[in-house]
Amino acid sequence: MRGPGPRLLALAAEERSSGPALSRGVGRPLLRLHRSDRGDIGIFFLLIGILFYCSAALVWNVGLVTTRKMQVQTAADAMAYSAATWTSRCVNLMTGTNMMILRNTTAQAAASGVVAVTIGVPIWWAVEIVRAIGCAPPPFNIPCIIAAVARVAAEIPSYAQFVADSAPDAFEAVFSNTFPDRISEIHRFQNELFDATYDAIETQRQAYEQQYGVRLWVARPGDGDGLVRAPVRGGDFLSFLPVVMLRWVLSDNNLPGDADFNSFNSVGRANMMWNITTLATLAIMAAVHGGDHYVLESQLGPLELSPADEGREKFTVVAVAAAEDVAGPSFMASGLFSHAVSPSNTVVAYAQAETCNGIDERLASTGIPLPWPFRVWTTWGWQWQPRLTRGDLLNEAFENDDAMREAIVAGGVPEPYHALIHHLSHH
């Protein structure tokens, strides 16, 4: 019997089962494919590789963001400390130049006093002799004249020495206006220093932006203009007269001359001429040059308040640094993430620094107040220095400084940071 019939009957009858039949012929390839496990480990490694790649990308992104955060925080710290350093230097130099202004003011008073005594004593001698001539009718006035001439003669050597030592320089200084001109020149330097301090801070800000590759803003809390200036302002008559009078009385009010210039009439007159002339000169100088100096912004009339008591924000700077490149295409596996692994689409850091004076802490420990302008008029005023402090004035900086807030928004900082600004300015 030919054809497929006998073969099919044989297959059906063999072992009356499909298993052995399927194990041979056309069923064998199907079973072999069903039972083979070759390639399973490859799928496992593919899944592990994808997971490892994603993890590596995640760690890499987090590491870059963390490193960038450290760089941005360093930039903010450096900017705040630098601004405080420049303002400290400015206040220290203001102290030194204020002391020079004081010395030139009292020098002008002393020179005027010398001129007054130099001219006034001979006039007083003439008055003494005229009085002696009129003390009695001639010839009974001869004893009075002899006594007056004797007093004048006794004073002439000391007067001559006084004139030789003091008069030439005093007359030259008074009539050439030397000391008032120096005061005006020193004050011009103070004005330039005040402006240069702001320029230096701005130049430093731009340099840090380039060095760290960030956007930087720096301001004084409460000013509202987004600028940083030294914590000083122009003085006036009330801030100048008390301290110049105090210096005059304590150190500079000395009548030039030697100990022999002490005849009982003329020395009294000389002292009177000296005191009247010098005090009048100091009052005139205070009126004319009272505004030619700088005082602390915490100054209140003739009193100097400590920055810790009032106006502390004037001695503080707040710096904000933002890096906008953390979500850029340079990150590894950027296609796997819609944004960088960061709380927001940028990295932001803040820093606060203050211009401080060590005398504040020492005086606070002793409980000694300062009843007069002090730090900007004495050598203790040269102790201004910068220090980084806790950011307790950050909210005030954003809340009161519209210019700074607008600059940050206009600077292209991503939207999440706008929400942070809003949060800071309302909480």
Side-chain angles (χ1 to χ4, degrees):
M1 176 187 249
R2 296 188 179 182
R7 183 173 177 82
L8 290 176
L9 290 175
L11 288 173
E14 187 176 351
E15 298 182 5
R16 303 184 181 275
S17 171
S18 62
L22 290 176
S23 65
R24 298 186 298 271
V26 295
R28 188 174 299 170
L30 295 177
L31 286 175
R32 186 166 54 248
L33 178 63
H34 177 70
R35 294 175 180 176
S36 176
D37 57 1
R38 293 181 62 185
D40 290 355
I41 193 68
I43 298 175
F44 173 77
F45 276 110
L46 177 62
L47 296 176
I48 292 296
I50 295 175
L51 180 61
F52 175 80
Y53 183 74
C54 293
S55 300
L58 179 65
V59 172
W60 181 262
N61 274 351
V62 171
L64 288 180
V65 171
T66 302
T67 301
R68 193 59 170 144
K69 173 66 176 177
M70 295 172 62
Q71 293 175 343
V72 173
Q73 186 63 60
T74 301
D77 291 342
M79 186 65 251
Y81 190 82
S82 177
T85 298
W86 280 110
T87 56
S88 297
R89 290 172 178 171
C90 181
V91 179
N92 288 334
L93 285 174
M94 290 298 183
T95 295
T97 50
N98 277 353
M99 293 173 66
M100 294 173 64
I101 290 173
L102 277 185
R103 291 174 179 174
N104 279 275
T105 301
T106 56
Q108 175 69 12
S112 300
V114 169
V115 171
V117 171
T118 301
I119 297 174
V121 167
I123 294 175
W124 174 246
W125 287 342
V127 171
E128 284 277 290
I129 294 175
V130 170
R131 286 179 177 176
I133 294 173
C135 71
F140 303 103
N141 59 357
I142 292 178
C144 296
I145 295 173
I146 293 175
V149 171
R151 287 196 298 269
V152 170
E155 292 181 352
I156 285 177
S158 297
Y159 174 79
Q161 188 66 42
F162 169 82
V163 171
D165 292 342
S166 306
D169 291 338
F171 273 84
E172 180 183 359
V174 169
F175 290 103
S176 64
N177 213 39
T178 299
F179 299 119
D181 288 345
R182 286 180 183 174
I183 292 174
S184 299
E185 182 179 353
I186 293 170
H187 186 56
R188 282 195 296 272
F189 170 79
Q190 288 184 325
N191 292 332
E192 294 172 358
L193 173 64
F194 184 79
D195 295 335
T197 300
Y198 164 74
D199 294 336
I201 293 174
E202 177 61 20
T203 300
Q204 193 72 68
R205 186 192 66 80
Q206 296 176 4
Y208 281 149
E209 280 191 336
Q210 295 180 359
Q211 180 178 352
Y212 291 99
V214 300
R215 297 292 304 276
L216 271 172
W217 299 268
V218 61
R220 287 198 316 182
D223 276 6
D225 55 8
L227 305 178
V228 175
R229 290 174 291 270
V232 293
R233 62 173 177 81
D236 51 30
F237 177 82
L238 289 178
S239 62
F240 186 71
L241 182 61
V243 70
V244 75
M245 293 298 296
L246 186 64
R247 179 181 176 88
W248 178 252
V249 171
L250 293 180
S251 61
D252 293 339
N253 186 17
N254 299 309
L255 178 63
D258 54 54
D260 295 331
F261 192 43
N262 58 4
S263 177
F264 83 64
N265 277 327
S266 291
V267 73
R269 290 292 178 176
N271 280 328
M272 183 183 69
M273 296 172 192
W274 171 266
N275 291 328
I276 292 175
T277 303
T278 55
L279 291 177
T281 302
L282 290 175
I284 294 172
M285 293 286 288
V288 175
H289 296 282
D292 293 346
H293 66 285
Y294 278 84
V295 295
L296 299 181
E297 289 209 1
S298 57
Q299 188 90 11
L300 182 61
L303 301 180
E304 182 186 82
L305 302 178
S306 169
D309 298 331
E310 184 173 328
R312 176 171 165 261
E313 69 278 358
K314 300 297 183 181
F315 296 81
T316 304
V317 292
V318 172
V320 178
E324 303 172 50
D325 58 350
V326 295
S330 61
F331 280 83
M332 180 179 177
S334 58
L336 297 178
F337 304 99
S338 60
H339 57 79
V341 182
S342 173
S344 65
N345 287 340
T346 188
V347 172
V348 182
Y350 317 92
Q352 176 178 304
E354 293 182 359
T355 297
C356 61
N357 192 306
I359 187 60
D360 287 329
E361 286 76 8
R362 290 198 293 272
L363 289 175
S365 64
T366 60
I368 300 176
L370 293 180
W372 297 101
F374 195 79
R375 297 172 191 79
V376 293
W377 297 107
T378 68
T379 54
W380 279 8
W382 282 332
Q383 298 184 31
W384 292 96
Q385 55 190 347
R387 65 182 177 190
L388 288 170
T389 59
R390 60 189 179 91
D392 59 324
L393 295 180
L394 178 63
N395 289 359
E396 184 175 349
F398 285 110
E399 183 175 341
N400 297 327
D401 204 324
D402 294 336
M404 183 176 185
R405 186 165 58 253
E406 291 173 1
I408 293 175
V409 173
V413 176
E415 185 64 30
Y417 186 55
H418 298 181
L420 178 61
I421 296 176
H422 179 79
H423 171 78
L424 289 172
S425 61
H426 289 81
H427 296 80

